[in-house]
Amino acid sequence: MTPDLSYPDVVQMAVPIFIALILAELLWIALSRRGGRYETRDAVTSLVMGAGNVASGIALGFLAWGFFMLLWQITPLDLGSAWWVVALCFVLDDLRYYWVHRFGHRIRWVWASHVNHHSSQHYNLTTALRQTWTGTFTFMMVVRAPLILLGFHPAMMLFCGGLNLIYQFWIHTEAIGRLPRWVEAVMNTPSHHRVHHGRNPRYLDANYAGVFIVWDRLFGTFVAERDDERVDYGLVRNLGTFNPLRVAFHEWAAIFRDVTRPGLSWRARLAYAFAPPGWSHDGSRDTSAAIKEKHLARHPEDRGTPGFS
Amino acid sequence: MPLGILIALVVGGIAGIALLTHVFGFSAARRFADADEARAAFLREFPETRIDRVTLSADGAAALLETEDGPALAWAMGADTSARLLSEVRVEETPRGLRFRLPDMTAPCIDIALAPEDRAAWHSASGGAR
Ligand SMILES: [Zn+2]
Ligand SMILES: [Zn+2]
């Protein structure tokens, strides 16, 4: 067994790099007048969300860690800590990220946590740091269980998860257009992730990848960025507040309000918590599928094109 | 990393980036140049809803719309915009204009600057209770 395996906290170590790259992007945009947009209150909200994410990790991280170490006690498997094990762990953890992220858009309970990452109408490096405060409550740590049971040490898995998060930082930019073809084919890139942040009907529920875009190509969720359709960033219904507390908790509050409505069946209450975002018992709201259908009714020429198939 | 240094980095980083962003002039709020821009801002959030009438505020930071689903607001959110239908709105007068309170966690309170002579018309057109 390798019980005392430990890795550096790479996300905390990357904070100075995050700040330096944000300053570089901001300067580039201010001086060249292209490559994206910044707005003061939007940027501050994103950065405060990022700080709160780190704080919530320090405050609540022990819950997930306790769960992981419990699994580590149970499993008879131990793959050790050779470099190729770390590399394999990184790839499998990225597959884990793809599914957690996909659940994050398709299950309202998980969306309540992830929605804040999409709540900015901007797309710059500060948007990358607009991270959840409530990830622990989604219980998505269970998706990591198979990796630990397979013999990947929890510390190694969290190390790979940290590297994954750091990789995703730099792709939150409009300053980089398209990269060489092989990069766009294999890796998640600024172009692919811009699509993921789009509220255009075509771009909804696309490109869930963390590091490797191949998962989206494999599981049928890939949509390429189009030169004839500029990405409109933000939520289907954009927020009317910059208040970080509201950004962090609004969808949880909305779930609570819907689930406790008088006169609903238990099935409807469960659906308000776990069905795709936009589900409603009376059809008064739109899911992403309904939004795409309504778009096709207005634009039949788009039927069958990427994002509408 | 020691917690003290991490906190100093985060606080200093946020303050520095905020200050620079402001100095570069990126705090300027969005303004609607005309009714069509306000209309587009509303349709961005409610693409299926027919708009019958648009009234711009004097500073162009907001618009009151009459739609098939009732009165609505479109307004500047920093450099961008947002919009809401005004069912269940409560309206209060503020020193600068009107405050629209909605039972909506994501837009609980919309402050619109309005000249004193425009306030009564906006208030009654919004359908809001006091
Ligand atoms: Zn997402
Ligand atoms: Zn993102």
Side-chain angles (χ1 to χ4, degrees), chain B residues 31-109:
Chain B
R31 291 288 179 261
F32 297 128
D34 52 35
D36 279 346
E37 284 194 18
R39 192 184 295 271
F42 176 80
L43 288 175
R44 221 179 134 224
E45 312 293 328
F46 300 89
E48 303 268 301
T49 305
R50 192 188 71 237
I51 304 167
D52 296 323
R53 227 180 90 140
V54 180
T55 312
L56 276 187
S57 68
D59 63 359
L64 182 66
L65 302 99
E66 269 173 40
T67 78
E68 60 178 327
D69 293 332
L73 277 179
W75 73 98
M77 272 291 296
D80 304 290
T81 59
S82 192
R84 289 291 183 276
L85 292 166
L86 295 181
S87 41
E88 300 179 76
V89 70
R90 281 187 302 123
V91 185
E92 296 162 12
E93 185 137 355
T94 64
R96 292 181 60 241
L98 294 177
R99 172 170 297 164
F100 296 84
R101 288 190 182 278
L102 294 173
D104 179 339
M105 275 290 287
T106 63
C109 170

Side-chain angles (χ1 to χ4, degrees), chain A residues 12-13 15-16 19 22-23 26-27 29-30 33 37-41 44 47-48 51 54 58 121-122 126 199 232-233 235-242 246 249-250 253 257 294 298, chain B residues 1-3 6 9-10 12-14 16-22 24 26-29 44-48 75-84 103-110:
Chain A
Q12 285 188 18
M13 286 167 64
V15 168
I19 294 172
I22 288 171
L23 290 173
L26 178 57
L27 277 170
I29 291 171
R33 292 280 150 192
R37 303 187 307 133
Y38 266 75
E39 198 269 331
T40 310
R41 281 187 294 169
V44 169
L47 296 170
V48 169
V54 173
I58 291 170
Q121 298 188 45
H122 289 251
T126 67
R199 60 195 287 290
D232 184 14
Y233 302 107
L235 298 171
V236 164
R237 186 69 39 85
N238 281 307
L239 300 188
T241 175
F242 288 111
R246 290 191 178 276
F249 298 112
H250 70 88
R257 181 142 58 173
K294 287 183 174 179
R298 296 192 300 273
Chain B
M1 181 180 315
L3 196 60
L6 182 66
L9 255 177
V10 167
I14 294 177
I17 291 163
L19 187 72
L20 260 181
T21 309
H22 184 71
F24 285 141
F26 296 146
S27 301
R44 221 179 134 224
E45 312 293 328
F46 300 89
E48 303 268 301
W75 73 98
M77 272 291 296
D80 304 290
T81 59
S82 192
R84 289 291 183 276
D104 179 339
M105 275 290 287
T106 63
C109 170
I110 308 156

